[in-house]
Amino acid sequence: MFNRIQEEHLRAIFNGFMDMVFLMAVDEGPTFRYVTANESALKYSGVDERSFGKSMQDVLPDEVFESIQKAYEIAYFTKKPYHYERTTMVMGQSMVGETILTPILDASGNCTHILASVRDITNKKRIESELQSSKERYKYLYENTPVMYFTLNQKGMLLSFNQTGASRLGFCNQELIGKPFVDFVDPRDRSKFRQFIRHLQPGNDKSIEVRLLHKDHPSFWVSQRMNIVSPKDGESEIVCVSYEIQDQKETEAQLKGQKRIFELIATDTMLEEILEVTAKTLEGHIDDTLCTVHLYSKEKETLQLVASPSIKEEHTSQLSEMLIGDDVSGCGRAASLKRPVIVSDIEDDPLSLHLHQFFLDYSIRAYWVMPILSSDQELLGISTIYSLKNRLPSRNDERLIKMYADLALLAIEQKHTKQALKESELRLKLMTDNMSDLIVLFDRKGSVNYVSPAYKRVFGRTPNFTKSFLDHIHEDDQEIVKKTFARIFNVKERQDVECRYRHERGEYVVIEARAMPVLDENEEVKQVVVVARDITERKKTEETIKHMAYHDSLTHLPNRRKFQEDLDQVIIQSRISKQIAGVLFLDMDRFKVINDSMGHAFGDRVLSLVATRLKSFIDGKGKVYRMSGDEFTILIQNVVHISDLSELAKEVLKTFESPIVVEDHEFHLSFSIGISLYPDDGGDVESLLVHSDVAMYRAKEKGRNSYEFYQPSMSTNNYERLLLENDLHKAIENDELLLHYQPRLDVETNAIIGLEALVRWEHPQWGLIPPGEFIPLAEESGLIVQIDNWVLETACRQNKLWQEKGYPPVRMAVNFSARQFLQRNLPASIQKVLDAYGMDGKWLEIEITESTLMKYEESIVQSLEELEQMGITIAIDDFGTGYSSLNYLKKFHVHALKIDQSFIKGIGNSSDEAAIARAVISLGHSMKMRVVAEGVETAEQFSFLRSQHCNEVQGFHFYPPLDRVKLDAVLQEHRALPM
């Protein structure tokens, strides 16, 4: 064909290809024989020049030959190029090869040769995989971020949104897509929102604060950042990023309300007006409420209405005067008892019948009363909140009510003080003797010239200044006091200051002082008059409020917010000092059992004792926090050796080896502990917390009552597990589950007499997922009951369809989880399914594991009896792997035993497995039960089982699990066979 020069030229070109190239001759069969190969093929494929002239079957290993022979046959018979991909090992490394088989035809059109070109596409495949993973991560972050994302068209119609946005609005997809976004804006903000949208310009993102509507709950504030983008030429969309600022708005409103009340108090406004504003402000903070304030009249010994901002005048007569006593309405009881009274349902408070018309006209369903008491526990009045809903006040409600009751107290006491001052103006001595505020007169040098008698009441001693008034001020406050007085002499105007002043008992009280200059005839400061008051209690109240914000109310441990702030500071300090810090995340094992069996109140007592023990143990070693529920954290700073954290975790576990005792009940508690380190496992609060949480879950997976340090590989596994669990929630709704059916045959006749329904999950991205991967997830998340119900209904419907086709009726076996058997009214729900499809109960068999049978004996015995009465048979699945006894089998009227496939697999290889199978068959027959062998894969196994008179068999030796289409053909074929 070619002369030598041409052949050398073609050989040079042939060897120049980077791809591996083989020329194969086609022999009869067809078989394919190596003719030649280029240098790349000889270098990487394992084929050498000695292979030339030999067939592929002679050169290649059997498993490789079998996998590519079919591809060569396709190219040969079709006479067209054929493409396929295959993963092989090349020089010790995995390689993905893309192969193109090109048939070479002779003049008669017969395929005489095949040219095979193999290209290494390993990197291409890796890049494609990484790109897909990146897309999935972005999608997960987009859907699960706490920030709400919305996309609108130019007309303001909703195009898309993330899961957070839909969930926060309380709507599903169908209710959102295509709707005007303005419909979800609170009517009070819609005009502002529309105007904002009209002025929005491309490339210029702006923010607006509006209230969004929730489908079933009150509206909430968001800060909404918006911009116009162009995803495609000629198209424009509005992107909205919404951050919830409800807490911020509530805090601002509270601060604004408090500020206004303080201003009214400071400007000597009438007490009635101050209390009216106080009541109105409190109404604004708690939805669907009305507020009133009554003051105590010592002369009449009754409560007199002074503030009712939202109640019409015609109704105030019913509230104008309230009696005080233990046998009157909640208002009178709170005043008498001097403690809050909560009426969550007015129907349960017959003592308030005289207010029936008022309750009726305003649709009032509950009310809460807070007494207003002086620092000496003297009754000054009450504040009453009337709710339009039957409910108890939340913790936030209680905090607000207490806070505004304190403000009312301040206003009342201030009013009393000013009233006393006004009366004492007539007699100077009475004024100085009884004035609650302290008056001090200083000269330019700071020496005290006069002190009012209130000094002794506030500080517990008579004034005796050897040097200066500053002598008794806390050393940390002396500088600010000095600067304040220096400012008075410079600006010659009133100055206010707070400082701590030493009491006779030794402690410091907080005083609020107002210093005013007294000028001489030359307009120079001659003296300074200071009016001061003891605000220690007010400061304590503020500190209490602050403490409540940073501490858990049940255990009094620092809470999650405090932990985050403290950890942030520890990170900053550790970064500077280059020290290691540790976070231990503790989760109580099986605490839910205590809550479920003993009640949440009892569980709270257990948590309190656990917190006390943790705090006592960790004292001086670090700091312990309660995060939520049964979760705690321990923060350790300046870790010298990482092994110290291991020892600490061990000591925590050892601390709880002795039981917790509550009301004569002993509880042996344990913890799963996850540990993360700064800076190895993260440089910020969120990373360290998340990674310690991930490590904690790994400790749980390994058996609980243990600890684990965080490893990066943990996050990867948890991420995949989380994705799978999230998708499982939507699997039934999206019709991703399907059933396969494995036939069960009569050993004597080989007839199909039963089917076992086996659930499968066809994941849209990951393909067919084995039950072993998603069933445990379903059991942990509680979805197993929903899946069991779906399997039961689908299997019964399909079995009835086969019966209606005229196929011989067979029993349909369905596996039930333990959770399913613990459902209430299980027999009734199964009967409902049978009735829906007209199927007789005798054609249904329920399989349950022996471990479930023993563990929940008392809970399921009645259900099993009722199922038997319905004609449904019960089979014990995986028999021999648990701890069943003859008593259990007899007690529960079990109809069939299924020998676990692990014993069947050993028949022929192990005498032990054969002996066990023989014993189970004998046991079942002696108790008049059918015996079913599962996992039969060989003729030898089947022959043994037949010799032992096993009743039924199933396994790959006969049929694998089949989908309904393939099984339909099998049933049709069996119907035509003589029985």
Side-chain angles (χ1 to χ4, degrees):
M1 293 176 61
F2 303 101
N3 59 37
R4 186 177 59 82
I5 296 176
Q6 289 174 322
E7 287 181 356
E8 290 179 357
H9 183 63
L10 289 173
R11 169 60 64 178
I13 296 174
F14 190 57
N15 288 329
F17 287 116
M18 299 298 293
D19 297 344
M20 294 181 283
V21 183
F22 304 87
L23 181 61
M24 312 294 293
V26 181
D27 295 331
E28 185 178 356
T31 60
F32 303 96
R33 175 169 39 85
Y34 288 97
V35 175
T36 186
N38 68 352
E39 292 179 355
S40 293
L42 295 176
K43 181 177 181 181
Y44 298 111
S45 69
V47 174
D48 55 26
E49 293 180 349
R50 291 174 297 176
S51 303
F52 296 165
K54 297 180 181 179
S55 69
M56 284 197 306
Q57 188 171 7
D58 295 334
V59 173
L60 300 178
D62 291 344
E63 65 272 11
V64 177
F65 168 73
E66 292 173 358
S67 67
I68 67 174
Q69 172 71 13
K70 183 175 290 187
Y72 273 80
E73 289 177 353
I74 292 172
Y76 172 76
F77 286 114
T78 62
K79 300 180 181 180
K80 294 180 180 179
Y82 181 71
H83 167 277
Y84 70 93
E85 294 178 3
R86 182 174 178 276
T87 302
T88 57
M89 296 299 296
V90 176
M91 301 181 71
Q93 295 184 342
S94 176
M95 181 198 86
V96 181
E98 178 184 47
T99 301
I100 300 175
L101 303 179
T102 304
I104 300 174
L105 309 180
D106 61 12
S108 300
N110 297 318
C111 177
T112 61
H113 293 78
I114 290 180
L115 184 67
S117 172
V118 183
R119 175 170 296 175
D120 182 357
I121 59 169
T122 306
N123 286 335
K124 175 185 174 184
K125 285 292 183 179
R126 178 182 57 79
I127 294 171
E128 289 175 351
S129 175
E130 291 175 352
L131 179 60
Q132 179 62 25
S133 177
S134 175
K135 289 179 179 178
E136 291 174 354
R137 287 196 298 272
Y138 171 78
K139 180 180 178 182
Y140 171 76
L141 293 173
Y142 173 77
E143 290 293 345
N144 293 280
T145 178
V147 179
M148 294 168 273
Y149 289 96
F150 303 98
T151 305
L152 321 178
N153 63 18
Q154 283 292 77
K155 295 182 180 180
M157 301 296 184
L158 262 169
L159 298 177
S160 65
F161 47 86
N162 67 347
Q163 185 61 36
T164 303
S167 173
R168 194 61 189 88
L169 294 178
F171 289 89
C172 63
N173 295 2
Q174 293 77 6
E175 295 174 301
L176 287 176
I177 292 295
K179 297 292 181 64
F181 187 78
V182 72
D183 288 355
F184 304 102
V185 176
D186 192 294
R188 294 169 289 184
D189 300 328
R190 287 179 182 173
S191 177
K192 176 176 69 173
F193 183 79
R194 288 190 179 99
Q195 185 176 2
F196 180 84
I197 288 286
R198 284 196 296 269
H199 291 88
L200 198 62
Q201 297 295 325
N204 185 15
D205 58 332
K206 292 185 177 181
S207 294
I208 183 175
E209 292 183 358
V210 294
R211 284 160 287 198
L212 297 183
L213 296 172
H214 187 281
K215 184 178 182 181
D216 302 312
H217 302 300
S219 59
F220 57 96
W221 280 98
V222 297
S223 174
Q224 192 149 295
R225 196 168 189 87
M226 305 178 69
N227 195 3
I228 297 178
V229 300
S230 298
K232 297 179 182 179
D233 292 341
E235 294 184 9
S236 295
E237 294 178 357
I238 301 174
V239 176
C240 310
V241 183
S242 300
Y243 303 86
E244 186 169 348
I245 57 171
Q246 182 66 22
D247 291 344
Q248 174 187 329
K249 282 292 185 179
E250 289 179 357
T251 301
E252 290 175 357
Q254 293 170 20
L255 292 175
K256 184 178 180 180
Q258 293 177 55
K259 181 175 181 292
R260 184 184 179 196
I261 294 169
F262 281 131
E263 288 174 348
L264 293 175
I265 295 173
T267 53
D268 202 18
T269 305
M270 290 182 61
L271 177 61
E272 290 76 6
E273 183 178 343
I274 296 174
L275 296 179
E276 190 86 0
V277 171
T278 302
K280 187 67 176 176
T281 305
L282 184 53
E283 289 177 351
H285 292 327
I286 306 177
D287 292 335
D288 300 322
T289 59
L290 306 174
C291 180
T292 62
V293 179
H294 288 74
L295 292 182
Y296 173 57
S297 171
K298 290 184 179 180
E299 294 78 11
K300 296 183 178 182
E301 295 187 350
T302 59
L303 298 166
Q304 302 293 317
L305 180 67
V306 294
S308 54
S310 300
I311 299 175
K312 296 180 180 179
E313 187 174 350
E314 57 263 30
H315 294 99
T316 56
S317 59
Q318 299 178 58
L319 308 173
S320 60
E321 189 172 72
M322 296 279 191
L323 297 179
I324 299 175
D326 297 344
D327 56 352
V328 295
S329 70
C331 297
R333 294 200 300 275
S336 175
L337 300 172
K338 294 184 179 180
R339 63 171 183 260
V341 169
I342 296 174
V343 178
S344 60
D345 189 340
I346 59 173
E347 301 296 336
D348 298 333
D349 187 34
L351 296 176
S352 300
L353 284 176
H354 63 288
L355 300 175
H356 174 75
Q357 191 60 44
F358 166 63
F359 291 158
L360 185 63
D361 292 346
Y362 285 88
S363 301
I364 291 169
R365 304 303 307 159
Y367 66 96
W368 320 315
V369 190
M370 172 66 72
I372 302 173
L373 306 175
S374 69
S375 56
D376 298 327
Q377 295 299 296
E378 178 185 357
L379 177 66
L380 300 179
I382 63 168
S383 174
T384 307
I385 301 294
Y386 297 97
S387 172
L388 306 187
K389 298 178 180 179
N390 283 6
R391 71 179 184 92
L392 297 171
S394 65
R395 290 185 179 178
N396 188 53
D397 296 336
E398 292 174 349
R399 179 184 65 80
L400 290 168
I401 294 169
K402 178 66 170 62
M403 181 173 67
Y404 282 95
D406 289 342
L407 291 174
L409 169 63
L410 181 62
I412 295 169
E413 289 187 334
Q414 181 78 351
K415 184 67 177 179
H416 290 174
T417 300
K418 292 185 180 295
Q419 185 176 350
L421 285 173
K422 185 176 181 180
E423 293 173 355
S424 65
E425 285 177 355
L426 301 174
R427 292 182 294 176
L428 181 60
K429 188 176 185 306
L430 289 177
M431 178 191 71
T432 56
D433 288 347
N434 295 285
M435 185 177 178
S436 60
D437 288 351
L438 169 66
I439 299 177
V440 184
L441 186 63
F442 299 91
D443 61 16
R444 291 182 60 89
K445 296 179 180 180
S447 298
V448 178
N449 296 333
Y450 170 77
V451 179
S452 70
Y455 183 93
K456 183 175 182 180
R457 184 169 61 255
V458 175
F459 302 120
R461 61 172 176 269
T462 56
N464 181 20
F465 304 106
T466 55
K467 294 182 180 180
S468 169
F469 186 79
L470 294 173
D471 292 344
H472 301 289
I473 292 177
H474 194 286
E475 60 181 8
D476 293 342
D477 298 338
Q478 288 185 7
E479 189 63 29
I480 185 65
V481 172
K482 289 178 182 179
K483 289 182 179 179
T484 299
F485 282 102
R487 193 179 302 113
I488 289 177
F489 289 100
N490 290 331
V491 302
K492 302 174 185 179
E493 294 177 355
R494 188 190 82 191
Q495 301 293 321
D496 296 334
V497 68
E498 284 185 12
C499 63
R500 287 162 290 179
Y501 200 85
R502 188 167 58 249
H503 194 276
E504 177 65 18
R505 295 188 296 268
E507 74 268 15
Y508 284 91
V509 297
V510 183
I511 60 173
E512 179 183 63
R514 175 172 292 175
M516 295 164 288
V518 179
L519 305 180
D520 60 15
E521 63 275 8
N522 298 319
E523 296 295 318
E524 295 296 329
V525 179
K526 176 182 177 182
Q527 290 179 320
V528 177
V529 178
V530 177
V531 179
R533 69 180 60 177
D534 179 3
I535 60 169
T536 306
E537 289 302 319
R538 193 176 85 192
K539 283 293 182 181
K540 287 181 180 178
T541 300
E542 293 174 357
E543 287 299 318
T544 299
I545 293 173
K546 183 177 180 181
H547 183 273
M548 290 172 63
Y550 285 96
H551 288 77
D552 172 51
S553 61
L554 174 64
T555 63
H556 304 294
L557 290 175
N559 59 15
R560 177 182 287 268
R561 179 187 294 180
K562 182 62 175 171
F563 168 78
Q564 291 173 328
E565 291 191 5
D566 287 354
L567 179 54
D568 189 53
Q569 291 301 313
V570 167
I571 289 173
I572 294 173
Q573 295 167 11
S574 300
R575 186 179 297 123
I576 296 172
S577 62
K578 297 183 179 179
Q579 294 286 330
I580 297 173
V583 174
L584 280 70
F585 195 104
L586 288 68
D587 184 270
M588 290 176 65
D589 297 327
R590 301 183 181 89
F591 178 70
K592 186 177 185 296
V593 176
I594 297 177
N595 265 346
D596 291 346
S597 58
M598 307 298 291
H600 288 274
F602 194 94
D604 286 347
R605 296 180 64 182
V606 174
L607 285 173
S608 296
L609 293 175
V610 168
T612 301
R613 189 176 291 189
L614 278 175
K615 187 176 181 181
S616 175
F617 160 74
I618 207 66
D619 185 39
K621 304 174 185 176
K623 196 169 182 180
V624 61
Y625 305 79
R626 185 190 181 198
M627 303 300 282
S628 66
D630 57 350
E631 296 177 340
F632 300 85
T633 52
I634 298 175
L635 179 58
I636 306 296
Q637 192 173 3
N638 299 328
V639 176
V640 179
H641 303 290
I642 295 178
S643 59
D644 295 342
L645 295 179
S646 300
E647 293 302 316
L648 182 66
K650 292 176 183 176
E651 290 176 20
V652 170
L653 299 176
K654 187 175 181 180
T655 299
F656 286 91
E657 289 179 354
S658 58
I660 294 284
V661 181
V662 180
E663 296 180 0
D664 298 329
H665 294 279
E666 284 192 0
F667 298 97
H668 290 271
L669 305 177
S670 65
F671 283 90
S672 296
I673 305 175
I675 307 172
S676 63
L677 303 173
Y678 170 86
D680 295 356
D681 301 329
D684 58 78
V685 172
E686 187 65 26
S687 298
L688 292 173
L689 185 57
V690 168
H691 291 161
S692 63
D693 187 37
V694 168
M696 180 273 293
Y697 274 105
R698 179 55 57 87
K700 278 193 181 295
E701 291 174 359
K702 290 193 173 182
R704 300 181 173 87
N705 195 29
S706 62
Y707 67 91
E708 287 288 330
F709 281 87
Y710 172 75
Q711 299 293 334
S713 60
M714 294 178 181
S715 293
T716 303
N717 293 337
N718 281 346
Y719 173 72
E720 294 174 353
R721 180 186 179 91
L722 180 61
L723 287 179
L724 195 63
E725 185 173 342
N726 285 341
D727 290 346
L728 186 57
H729 280 268
K730 299 177 286 187
I732 296 178
E733 179 183 342
N734 295 341
D735 198 24
E736 295 171 7
L737 297 182
L738 53 92
L739 285 185
H740 283 181
Y741 305 88
Q742 187 169 37
R744 188 186 297 171
L745 283 72
D746 183 279
V747 171
E748 297 299 328
T749 66
N750 281 356
I752 296 177
I753 59 173
L755 302 169
E756 181 177 2
L758 302 169
V759 66
R760 301 290 187 262
W761 180 12
E762 186 68 43
H763 193 282
Q765 292 178 328
W766 300 342
L768 200 63
I769 297 178
E773 292 188 21
F774 72 87
I775 291 298
L777 279 179
E779 290 175 340
E780 290 178 16
S781 62
L783 287 172
I784 189 63
V785 174
Q786 190 177 356
I787 292 175
D788 282 351
N789 289 334
W790 180 88
V791 171
L792 173 66
E793 188 167 343
T794 305
C796 288
R797 181 175 64 245
Q798 185 60 54
N799 198 24
K800 184 61 178 178
L801 287 174
W802 280 324
Q803 291 180 13
E804 291 174 350
K805 284 187 173 184
Y807 300 158
V810 295
R811 281 190 307 274
M812 179 65 74
V814 176
N815 291 278
F816 267 19
S817 65
R819 282 179 178 263
Q820 183 76 334
F821 262 99
L822 295 177
Q823 298 296 305
R824 293 182 179 179
N825 302 321
L826 175 63
S829 64
I830 294 177
Q831 185 65 58
K832 186 177 180 180
V833 173
L834 294 175
D835 292 343
Y837 299 108
M839 192 175 94
D840 195 313
K842 68 181 180 181
W843 302 119
L844 176 63
E845 181 169 275
I846 292 177
E847 296 185 3
I848 182 172
T849 62
E850 55 181 324
S851 57
T852 299
L853 195 66
M854 295 183 65
K855 185 174 181 181
Y856 301 104
E857 169 189 353
E858 298 302 328
S859 301
I860 68 176
V861 61
Q862 184 176 354
S863 294
L864 290 176
E865 290 175 355
E866 293 181 28
L867 292 173
E868 184 180 25
Q869 293 172 6
M870 294 161 57
I872 298 172
T873 56
I874 305 298
I876 300 299
D877 195 17
D878 300 335
F879 186 78
T881 60
Y883 304 93
S884 286
S885 67
L886 296 180
N887 288 335
Y888 277 98
L889 298 179
K890 183 177 180 181
K891 178 177 181 179
F892 290 108
H893 306 290
V894 174
H895 304 91
L897 298 180
K898 295 191 70 176
I899 307 175
D900 186 68
Q901 59 182 344
S902 61
F903 301 124
I904 304 301
K905 186 176 183 180
I907 293 174
N909 299 320
S910 168
S911 60
D912 290 340
E913 273 72 10
I916 292 173
R918 185 182 298 109
V920 173
I921 294 170
S922 177
L923 170 65
H925 288 165
S926 68
M927 300 188 72
K928 295 181 173 55
M929 298 179 189
R930 289 181 291 106
V931 180
V932 183
E934 57 182 351
V936 179
E937 297 183 352
T938 67
E940 182 181 7
Q941 294 168 354
F942 176 60
S943 177
F944 171 82
L945 293 168
R946 185 164 52 188
S947 70
Q948 298 301 314
H949 306 292
C950 181
N951 301 100
E952 301 172 26
V953 291
Q954 68 182 83
F956 278 74
H957 180 60
F958 305 98
Y959 298 102
L962 303 170
D963 61 33
R964 58 182 178 82
V965 177
K966 293 179 180 178
L967 185 57
D968 190 275
V970 170
L971 294 175
Q972 188 174 11
E973 180 182 347
H974 265 256
R975 180 176 62 177
L977 294 175
M979 301 300 293

